[in-house]
Amino acid sequence: MRGDGDGWAVGPDGGRRWGRFGAAGLLLRAPLPDGTPAVLLQHRAAWSHQGGTWALPGGARDSDESPVAAAVREAEEETGIDAAAVNVRTERVTSGVTGGWTYTTVVADTPSPMATTLNGESTELRWVPEADVETMPLHSGFAAAWPDLRTRAVRMLLDTANVLGSRPNGWWRDRPGATARLLAELAESVPRTVELPGGSFGWVSRIEAVLEGQARAAVIDDDRTPVHSAAGSGDDELAVLAKGTSAVLDQVLTVVVTADRGLRARLPGDVPTLAPSTVLGWL
């Protein structure tokens, strides 16, 4: 049964835009075999608006729907993806008219590129390597929004002691065990899209953990959470790692997860930080 959102909205500027209550689309990423992200794009049918261009699956919101619900529903209808495997990360209004119609892009990930099924609104569905998206003939709305939606590869360094210390769960009674449990949980949370300070997006395929003191005895065997064992202070190790990568890794942004003000002051100016609550919120 069709909802009540289909139809044109007329904005204060007199322009007509599809979706009586606004519209939403799903920006769905998945890791390729080499760990880099791909985006699910729809080659729009010739009869549709700007037919023949590539864009995100999506459509009109119904009056009782949130943007997330609308984007996931439309994507499921148009591509046949399994909505249960979609992990929503955030949403962002990427187009609109003040006081009126809006288009919301819902950013999500899935563990691997899912099988798709065409419906009449597409001539092709394709998982496109993110680096290739801008080379395709894009729908004008998506083309305008894409520079603010694309990700940058992130090297994430974890101040493990600081992150552990932010959870009052008795971690100090068994530092190696608590460390191993934390990193096992974090390993299951990547790869993923992450929102960075300033509003841009990054792609995290693994999390590098710095261990100090008793935590160095933790048993870690997962490529998604490689470990650096600090001979002395974990802060010293993190500062060295951050300085050593910020100017060396082209197109890769180093990010440090810590709430330690002293450590933050020692990091290069081009190395942003995220609060421990950010990664703990992934668990």
Side-chain angles (χ1 to χ4, degrees), residues 52-124:
T53 61
W54 292 83
L56 303 177
R61 287 174 54 192
D62 290 336
S63 60
D64 61 346
E65 281 187 310
S66 67
V68 169
V72 174
R73 172 185 57 77
E74 286 281 345
E76 187 172 28
E77 292 173 0
E78 295 176 4
T79 70
I81 60 170
D82 178 8
V86 172
N87 300 305
V88 173
R89 304 308 187 194
T90 191
E91 58 185 279
R92 182 171 295 180
V93 174
T94 48
S95 181
V97 179
T98 303
W101 182 93
T102 57
Y103 183 95
T104 302
T105 299
V106 174
V107 178
D109 302 323
T110 189
S112 60
M114 292 188 286
T116 58
T117 303
L118 286 172
N119 74 355
E121 298 187 39
S122 313
T123 59
E124 184 183 354

Side-chain angles (χ1 to χ4, degrees), residues 183-259:
L183 296 187
E185 290 180 88
L186 286 175
E188 294 299 322
S189 73
V190 293
R192 65 180 296 127
T193 304
V194 60
E195 195 165 6
L196 300 170
S200 62
F201 291 101
W203 179 255
V204 179
S205 57
R206 63 181 195 164
I207 300 172
E208 298 180 40
V210 172
L211 307 186
E212 64 181 5
Q214 295 176 18
R216 291 179 298 174
V219 178
I220 312 295
D221 185 20
D222 194 314
D223 291 341
R224 296 170 294 182
T225 52
V227 167
H228 299 273
S229 267
S233 162
D235 285 4
D236 289 347
E237 183 75 10
L238 282 159
V240 169
L241 289 169
K243 289 177 181 177
T245 60
S246 61
V248 173
L249 297 179
D250 186 35
Q251 302 302 316
V252 177
L253 178 67
T254 298
V255 175
V256 177
V257 181
T258 186

Side-chain angles (χ1 to χ4, degrees), residues 121-194:
E121 298 187 39
S122 313
T123 59
E124 184 183 354
L125 297 166
R126 186 188 304 176
W127 287 96
V128 179
E130 184 160 342
D132 296 341
V133 169
E134 63 186 17
T135 69
M136 305 178 73
L138 302 178
H139 183 282
S140 61
F142 179 48
W146 177 242
D148 293 327
L149 295 170
R150 65 180 304 166
T151 63
R152 181 176 179 181
V154 166
R155 184 190 189 196
M156 181 167 282
L157 300 174
L158 189 75
D159 184 354
T160 311
N162 189 260
V163 174
L164 276 173
S166 67
R167 295 204 296 184
N169 59 1
W171 58 270
W172 56 87
R173 300 188 191 98
D174 177 14
R175 294 178 187 238
T179 298
R181 288 189 294 274
L182 172 66
L183 296 187
E185 290 180 88
L186 286 175
E188 294 299 322
S189 73
V190 293
R192 65 180 296 127
T193 304
V194 60

